């Protein structure tokens, strides 16, 4: 019988992990509160009951130890999924990520694989301050040897998770807290989607045009896809037809799809919740400029987090976050129009 | 036609006065198979899955974010 099932992102992630655990005994999960609690963002809900403590392992609060153990397990033939509860905690396990996970395939001359998935929560907007609200896409996309994915909805979340588990390289799976569908954090319409019950993959390196348009290209990912679509709706009311591209994966990066879109529209706005300088926004603009700056009819614009530590105070944090109004204003600038009042 | 109700003994209202419909996993008027998880109820920090008693077409009575108590009728499964 046909089903009209709609899943939240967190349920889609847990379903993907469960399906891979059923078919491959080498897949297991480790992390803080991922067992009985089901992950503080719900990504491992129900797994302990089905697979038991051997394969769903609650760890002590030492990212240094359990991310390092994940690298070792991956090099020994297992396919671990390790949850770094908040991406902000990467500091204490950065040697395991940057110098071991990312480099050991190269250092071993290809004799070892590192099929490790590090899933980690990103993003702010809920008053959790500067060490629980960062996005840090660029910090990981910058390092050769790591693949980086960041889904914007449940369908992609399941397919990208299955691709990540089956990949022989380390993958940073960066999920935004505000998209998970948790009762204590509102998620945008469109984060929960129809999700097929059977197993399927979303391939890495394929961005998706989530809204076709002819006047301007908005390139973004994760939560900001929803803010960009909101901006595109507003702009449509003014007769501006924006194309929105969801990158879905940062490494590998689908530059082709961005270039094709900008060749069509001639205008580019890049949106990222990560810090502005030295980040995703600059990389996308550089990709266009290096290929053919004559494609651009106007200076490209970026809308990203200002280069400041994230404030705790709600009004201050909301002031700093990228949003639909800032995106729409940036689009109007590329069209040489005044800001909305 | 079948009712989807919060079980009477799901939690003690003397300790926690009310719960919330955290999510519906099928759209209103969507086709639901028997035994599928249709909704998630949150009571303080604890989540409970509610399963469909029958196959059929879902009619949502209490939408997402609605307040519920043990015994509350949250939806119905209609024939067809």
């Amino acid at each position: 019988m046909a089903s009209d099932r709609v899943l939240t992102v967190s349920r889609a992630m847990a379903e993907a992990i469960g399906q891979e655990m059923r078919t491959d005994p080498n897949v297991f999960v480790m992390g803080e509160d991922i067992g009985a609690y089901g992950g503080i963002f719900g990504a491992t809900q129900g797994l302990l009951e089905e697979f038991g403590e051997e394969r769903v392992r609650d760890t002590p609060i030492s990212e240094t130890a359990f991310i390092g153990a994940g690298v070792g397990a991956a090099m020994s033939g297992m396919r671990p999924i390790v949850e770094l509860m908040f991406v902000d905690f990467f500091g204490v396990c950065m040697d395991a990520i940057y110098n071991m996970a990312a480099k050991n395939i190269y250092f071993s001359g290809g004799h070892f694989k590192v099929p490790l998935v590090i899933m980690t929560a990103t993003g702010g907007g809920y008053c959790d301050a500067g060490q629980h609200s960062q996005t840090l896409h660029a910090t990981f996309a910058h390092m050769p040897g790591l693949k980086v994915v960041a889904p914007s909805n449940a369908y992609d979340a399941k397919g990208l998770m299955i691709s990540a588990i089956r990949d022989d390289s380390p993958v940073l799976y960066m999920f935004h807290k505000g998209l998970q569908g948790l009762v204590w954090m509102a998620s945008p319409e469109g984060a929960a989607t129809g999700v097929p019950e059977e197993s399927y993959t979303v391939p890495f390196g394929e961005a998706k045009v989530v809204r076709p348009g002819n006047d301007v290209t908005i390139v973004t990912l994760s939560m900001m896809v929803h803010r960009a679509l909101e901006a595109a709706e507003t702009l449509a009311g003014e007769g501006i037809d924006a194309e929105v591209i969801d990158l879905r994966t940062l490494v590998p990066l689908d530059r082709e799809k961005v270039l094709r879109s900008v060749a069509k529209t001639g205008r580019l706005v890049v949106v990222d919740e990560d810090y502005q300088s030295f980040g995703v926004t600059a990389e996308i603009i550089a990709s266009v400029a290096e290929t053919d700056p004559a494609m651009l009819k106007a200076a490209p614009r970026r809308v990203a987090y200002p280069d400041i530590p994230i404030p705790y105070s709600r009004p201050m944090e909301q002031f700093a976050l990228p949003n639909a109004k800032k995106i729409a204003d940036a689009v109007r600038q590329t069209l040489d129009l005044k800001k909305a009042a | 036609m079948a009712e989807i109700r919060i079980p009477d003994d799901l939690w003690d209202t003397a300790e926690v006065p009310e719960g919330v419909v955290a999510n519906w996993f099928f759209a209103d008027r969507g086709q639901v198979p028997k035994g599928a998880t249709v909704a998630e109820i949150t009571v303080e920090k604890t989540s409970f899955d509610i399963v469909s008693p029958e196959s059929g077409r879902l009619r949502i009575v209490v939408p997402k974010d609605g307040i519920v108590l043990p015994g509350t009728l949250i939806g119905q499964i209609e024939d067809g």
Side-chain angles (χ1 to χ4, degrees), chain B residues 9-26:
Chain B
D9 56 354
L10 194 63
W11 77 93
D12 180 359
T13 51
E15 285 184 28
V16 186
E18 60 192 24
V20 174
V21 177
N23 285 296
W24 279 102
F25 298 116
F26 291 83

Side-chain angles (χ1 to χ4, degrees), chain A residues 10-286:
Chain A
S10 65
R11 299 253 173 173
M13 289 171 67
E15 181 167 281
I17 295 168
Q19 285 178 340
E20 288 302 289
M21 289 180 77
R22 263 170 239 140
T23 53
D24 185 346
N26 292 316
V27 178
F28 73 101
V29 194
M30 282 195 290
E32 295 160 5
D33 282 330
I34 58 104
Y37 194 84
I40 69 161
F41 304 111
T44 55
Q45 207 174 6
L47 297 177
L48 177 66
E49 291 83 346
E50 181 174 352
F51 299 103
E53 290 180 353
E54 274 291 306
R55 297 182 70 193
V56 182
R57 305 173 77 102
D58 270 325
T59 62
I61 304 179
S62 174
E63 290 82 1
T64 315
F66 68 77
I67 303 278
V71 176
M75 293 178 71
S76 311
M78 305 295 285
R79 306 192 86 85
I81 302 157
V82 183
E83 180 166 289
L84 176 60
M85 187 184 277
F86 289 76
V87 73
D88 315 71
F89 303 165
F90 76 99
V92 291
C93 51
M94 207 46 162
D95 196 55
I97 300 172
Y98 252 47
N99 284 329
M100 296 184 215
K103 296 191 175 80
N104 279 354
I105 296 174
Y106 298 81
F107 286 169
S108 69
H111 289 288
F112 283 92
K113 297 168 179 173
V114 186
L116 168 69
V117 179
I118 300 175
M119 61 176 178
T120 188
T122 66
Y126 65 105
C127 308
D128 212 0
Q131 75 284 58
H132 294 83
S133 302
Q134 299 173 102
T135 310
L136 302 181
H137 295 138
T139 302
F140 298 95
H142 179 67
M143 173 53 57
L146 297 175
K147 295 181 180 177
V148 180
V149 310
S152 69
N153 63 75
Y155 180 90
D156 289 348
K158 179 172 174 180
L160 287 170
M161 177 59 82
I162 291 174
S163 293
I165 294 168
R166 294 180 187 174
D167 202 288
D168 283 336
S169 297
V171 178
L172 258 291
Y173 185 103
M174 308 182 81
F175 61 92
H176 196 292
K177 289 158 241 170
L179 296 174
Q180 290 294 89
L182 307 167
V183 69
W184 51 277
M185 202 184 306
S187 55
E189 286 284 327
T193 63
V195 174
E197 308 208 2
E198 65 273 15
S199 179
Y200 63 92
T201 58
V202 168
F204 290 176
E206 285 189 17
K208 188 175 181 197
V209 175
V210 290
R211 185 188 194 282
N214 291 308
D215 295 336
V216 58
T217 301
I218 305 174
V219 177
T220 186
L221 74 164
S222 187
M223 174 63 89
M224 289 301 138
V225 170
H226 302 278
R227 304 288 183 252
L229 288 169
E230 202 185 318
E233 276 304 302
T234 305
L235 292 164
E238 302 165 22
I240 300 166
D241 187 22
E243 180 148 297
V244 179
I245 296 180
D246 179 354
L247 290 171
R248 304 200 288 189
T249 72
L250 288 175
V251 182
L253 181 61
D254 189 354
R255 296 176 209 269
E256 276 303 310
K257 205 159 278 160
V258 173
L259 292 170
R260 272 206 302 277
S261 177
V262 176
K264 176 177 72 172
T265 65
R267 293 181 172 85
L268 175 62
V269 173
V270 193
V271 185
D272 186 18
E273 193 180 321
D274 196 3
Y275 303 118
Q276 173 156 311
S277 294
F278 311 100
V280 171
T281 53
E283 183 62 31
I284 296 294
I285 290 169

